[in-house]
């Protein structure tokens, strides 16, 4: 196995002498999709910011591979409503060339919005714009904080499928935070359940049976996650609508899925 892109060794972050993150160990390699789950206030965003170097740590060590390029997708896009800003201008702020920006917009399925106002985008379009900005950096590691926030359930499935495709194309690592337990179990390779410390971690198929997972989320959630399956027989467009048959990339860039619950 290759050396990790990022290693967290007993990382601790304290606020007012209370641990927001307590002695967390984590390795992220190329090809990984690791999802951090946990209740509100569990320290998930704090952990991500520590990994990025945006949050000082009070204990432990964060090691990043030499020359590591990180693409960061924050939880949401907060802009001053009176500030005029087009998608094209927003992408230009990334410092990448116009060609690289247009290519990234095309890959996330929103190149047709290049002249649109950022303020007029839907939730799903905003998330794809943030992903495009990160993608333009050609990252070794994609870090996503609630990437499907503000996106309906079908749009979420399409977005998670796109993240998997980008992982394969870029040969990058992916680490993300998610509250969408059902969808994330189909979209990730490894799950880490965080509640200040790591309660449990493992493969999605196994973790729902872990006593610590059941204690954190409840028996009913654990049972519903355990029986979730994700199959593919149709496509979704950017708004999460089902699209039958062939369609243009601008209209249906996403996954093919059929959500089966028992």
């Amino acid at each position: 196995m290759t050396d990790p892109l990022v290693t967290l060794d007993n990382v601790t972050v304290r606020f007012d002498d209370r641990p927001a993150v307590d002695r967390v160990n984590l390795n992220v390699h190329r090809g990984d999709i690791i999802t951090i789950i946990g209740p509100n206030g569990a320290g998930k965003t704090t952990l991500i910011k520590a990994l990025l170097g945006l949050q000082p740590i009070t204990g432990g060590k964060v090691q990043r591979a030499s020359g590591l390029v990180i693409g960061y997708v924050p939880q949401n896009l907060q802009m001053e409503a009176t500030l005029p800003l087009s998608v094209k201008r927003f992408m230009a702020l990334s410092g990448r060339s116009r060609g690289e920006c247009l290519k990234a917009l095309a890959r996330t399925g929103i190149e047709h919005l290049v002249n649109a106002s950022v303020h007029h985008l839907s939730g799903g379009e905003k998330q794809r714009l943030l992903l495009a900005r990160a993608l333009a950096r050609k990252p070794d590691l994609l870090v996503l904080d609630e990437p499907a926030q503000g996106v309906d359930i079908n749009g979420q499935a399409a977005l998670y499928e796109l993240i998997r495709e980008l992982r394969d194309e870029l040969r990058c690592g992916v680490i993300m935070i998610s509250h969408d337990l059902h969808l994330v179990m189909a979209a990730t390779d490894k799950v880490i359940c965080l509640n200040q410390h790591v309660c449990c971690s493992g493969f999605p198929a196994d973790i729902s049976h872990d006593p610590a997972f059941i204690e954190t989320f409840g028996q009913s959630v654990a049972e519903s996650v355990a029986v979730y399956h994700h199959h593919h027989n149709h496509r979704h467009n950017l708004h999460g609508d089902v699209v039958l048959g062939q369609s243009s990339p601008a209209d249906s860039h996403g996954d093919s899925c059929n959500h089966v619950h028992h």
Side-chain angles (χ1 to χ4, degrees):
M1 182 177 288
T2 59
D3 292 336
L5 298 171
V6 177
T7 297
L8 275 60
D9 183 10
N10 276 323
V11 166
T12 297
V13 178
R14 290 182 174 271
F15 297 126
D16 298 326
D17 210 35
R18 296 182 63 182
V21 171
D22 188 21
R23 293 170 293 176
V24 170
N25 295 300
L26 173 65
N27 290 317
V28 187
H29 292 85
R30 287 190 183 277
D32 285 345
I33 299 183
I34 297 173
T35 303
I36 301 172
I37 62 174
N40 290 334
K44 301 184 296 294
T45 296
T46 299
L47 180 65
I48 288 291
K49 288 183 175 179
L51 181 150
L52 292 168
L54 300 175
Q55 171 63 54
I57 63 175
T58 51
K61 184 187 297 184
V62 179
Q63 293 181 295
R64 303 175 191 87
S66 177
L68 180 70
V69 177
I70 298 177
Y72 176 44
V73 179
Q75 216 173 96
N76 50 47
L77 182 60
Q78 295 181 334
M79 309 289 301
E80 172 57 51
T82 59
L83 178 67
L85 186 65
S86 67
V87 166
K88 178 167 58 180
R89 178 60 182 155
F90 179 81
M91 289 296 293
L93 295 174
S94 69
R96 300 294 162 172
S97 71
R98 182 175 182 273
E100 288 173 319
C101 290
L102 290 175
K103 185 176 180 181
L105 289 171
R107 185 61 191 89
T108 59
I110 56 169
E111 71 276 23
H112 60 294
L113 298 172
V114 65
N115 294 313
S117 167
V118 168
H119 302 294
H120 296 157
L121 301 182
S122 69
E125 290 164 349
K126 285 180 180 177
Q127 292 307 98
R128 285 174 180 262
L129 174 59
L130 290 170
L131 185 56
R133 183 180 65 172
L135 180 60
R137 293 177 53 81
K138 298 176 182 172
D140 303 302
L141 176 65
L142 265 176
V143 180
L144 308 105
D145 189 349
E146 293 284 359
Q149 181 156 311
V151 183
D152 69 26
I153 189 164
N154 286 334
Q156 289 172 19
L159 192 60
Y160 284 129
E161 182 66 17
L162 175 58
I163 290 166
R164 289 190 70 87
E165 291 173 3
L166 293 174
R167 183 274 308 267
D168 294 340
E169 292 169 16
L170 296 170
R171 294 185 60 252
C172 65
V174 177
I175 183 164
M176 59 182 170
I177 294 171
S178 179
H179 282 108
D180 311 305
L181 294 182
H182 292 94
L183 285 172
V184 85
M185 291 302 184
T188 192
D189 300 323
K190 182 179 180 181
V191 177
I192 294 174
C193 181
L194 187 73
N195 199 357
Q196 279 75 56
H197 64 286
V198 175
C199 301
C200 55
S201 64
F203 296 114
D206 300 329
I207 199 166
S208 61
H209 304 293
D210 192 293
F213 182 92
I214 296 169
E215 182 179 352
T216 301
F217 292 102
Q219 184 70 42
S220 61
V221 171
E223 289 173 355
S224 67
V225 167
V227 297
Y228 181 81
H229 300 284
H230 191 79
H231 302 296
H232 299 268
N233 69 358
H234 60 260
R235 298 185 64 83
H236 297 290
N237 65 16
L238 289 175
H239 305 289
D241 302 320
V242 173
V243 179
L244 300 176
Q246 297 297 317
S247 52
S248 70
D251 292 331
S252 64
H253 190 93
D255 78 334
S256 309
C257 61
N258 174 33
H259 312 291
V260 180
H261 300 267
H262 299 286

